Amino acid sequence: MTFEEEFRLKTEEIESIVTKYLPKEEGLQKTVFSASNYGVLGGGKRLRPMLMLETYRLFDGKSREIEPFVAAIEYIHSSSLIHDDLPSMDNDEYRRGKKSTWAAYGEAMGVLAGDALLMYAVETACKAFSLSVNPKNVGKAIEVLASKTGVYGMIGGQTVDVEKTGQPLTEEELDFIYRLKTGALIEASMMIGAILADASQEDIKNTGEIASCIGYAFQIQDDILDVISTDEILGKPVHSDERNEKTTYVSIHGIEKSREKVEELLNRAVSLLSGLSGENRFLEQLIISLITREK
Ligand code: GRG
């Protein structure tokens, strides 16, 4: 099977897990369910759940205990996108070619849908307790999920990003935003896969570092594509960072240094991956394709 075929099959598997755990759209509060489900089912790439599941498999995890977390990480990612599109944040009326959640359901419902999904993600992750023979690992995984999402993770990164909008960033601030806003959830994804598969402390630590390299490189590649790609290939307007006078890795270091940094991070991720006490060829190919993507 080619990597593309395997990728398509695995995406379908994840789509079915993410859909299976969604709430039923019923009851007096059904509008919030329907707005949340709209935000989740909007056609995302499902990268975080895939990194989680494949890391779990790398460490020989075989149980269904991973499923609630696979769904939960995508619910958290979706809740962040719903909030990110709100008028008080990026004020985007469209996401993935469709009306964004607030544009389809109204601003108040957009706020509630993001809040609802965030908590529903935790509720869903807790379902792993009854599927696991190792509840201690489930507890540890929930702690990682919460801390990498919250003020020490994604929300902390978004805070600095929002506060500094319209102002030039120092290198330190840019680094903080990249590591937390984008990187933290990717770290949570892979670390949870390792924790639930009962990997050693050393392997969990190195998995976190691999994820950190992936998150950073993913973000720099985003900056590069915004400069060198076209609207057609990227599926969104290019040169948006320059138009919005945003400080990015490319605006500080230039294209060549940025490319070198992506390559350095990719090499580090692949080398750390080969040192883990397990192997997953698909995961390696996934990481390479994510970091070197053209769109
Ligand atoms: C949920 C309470 C609460 C707060 C959210 C708005 C916010 C706080 C955080 C913003 C986080 C954010 C938008 C980070 C950007 C991450 C990123 C690279 C998104 C794009 O990810 P892809 O390419 O998207 O995986 P798809 O569309 O494939 O799902």
Side-chain angles (χ1 to χ4, degrees), residues 44-45 48 77 79-80 83-84 96 118 158 181-182 218:
K45 295 184 285 301
R48 292 153 193 79
H77 169 61
S79 86
S80 79
H83 277 187
D84 200 48
R96 303 165 181 149
L118 196 60
Q158 175 74 355
K181 180 179 153 174
T182 308
F218 187 80

Side-chain angles (χ1 to χ4, degrees), residues 153-278:
M154 178 185 73
I155 294 177
Q158 175 74 355
T159 304
V160 177
D161 199 10
V162 165
E163 219 164 31
K164 293 280 168 182
T165 301
Q167 299 170 44
L169 300 173
T170 63
E171 242 184 284
E172 189 196 352
E173 287 161 345
L174 186 76
D175 186 75
F176 184 90
I177 293 170
Y178 282 11
R179 289 193 185 285
L180 295 195
K181 180 179 153 174
T182 308
L185 222 53
I186 294 178
E187 284 171 38
S189 308
M190 294 187 71
M191 287 173 77
I192 288 170
I195 290 167
L196 290 181
D198 209 23
S200 68
Q201 276 312 109
E202 171 85 359
D203 276 340
I204 295 169
K205 186 180 140 288
N206 287 332
T207 299
E209 177 142 10
I210 293 167
S212 164
C213 292
I214 298 172
Y216 212 97
F218 187 80
Q219 191 59 64
I220 300 176
Q221 185 69 6
D222 220 50
D223 301 344
I224 295 176
L225 292 177
D226 189 62
V227 174
I228 65 163
S229 191
T230 63
D231 293 10
E232 293 71 39
I233 295 176
L234 217 52
K236 62 179 184 185
V238 292
H239 306 306
S240 74
D241 293 333
E242 195 184 344
R243 248 191 328 278
N244 298 324
E245 294 178 19
K246 274 191 88 169
T247 308
T248 67
Y249 199 89
V250 172
S251 75
I252 295 180
H253 300 279
I255 287 279
E256 271 327 297
K257 280 260 169 318
S258 303
R259 283 199 167 119
E260 278 167 31
K261 185 72 182 174
V262 169
E263 200 179 324
E264 178 196 317
L265 288 161
L266 176 59
N267 289 341
R268 173 138 185 82
V270 171
S271 134
L272 281 166
L273 190 71
S274 67
L276 296 177
S277 50

Side-chain angles (χ1 to χ4, degrees), residues 88-102:
S88 55
M89 299 246 183
D90 278 0
N91 194 19
D92 276 324
E93 282 185 55
Y94 288 89
R95 164 140 331 248
R96 303 165 181 149
K98 278 174 50 188
K99 286 261 177 203
S100 52
T101 305
W102 77 266

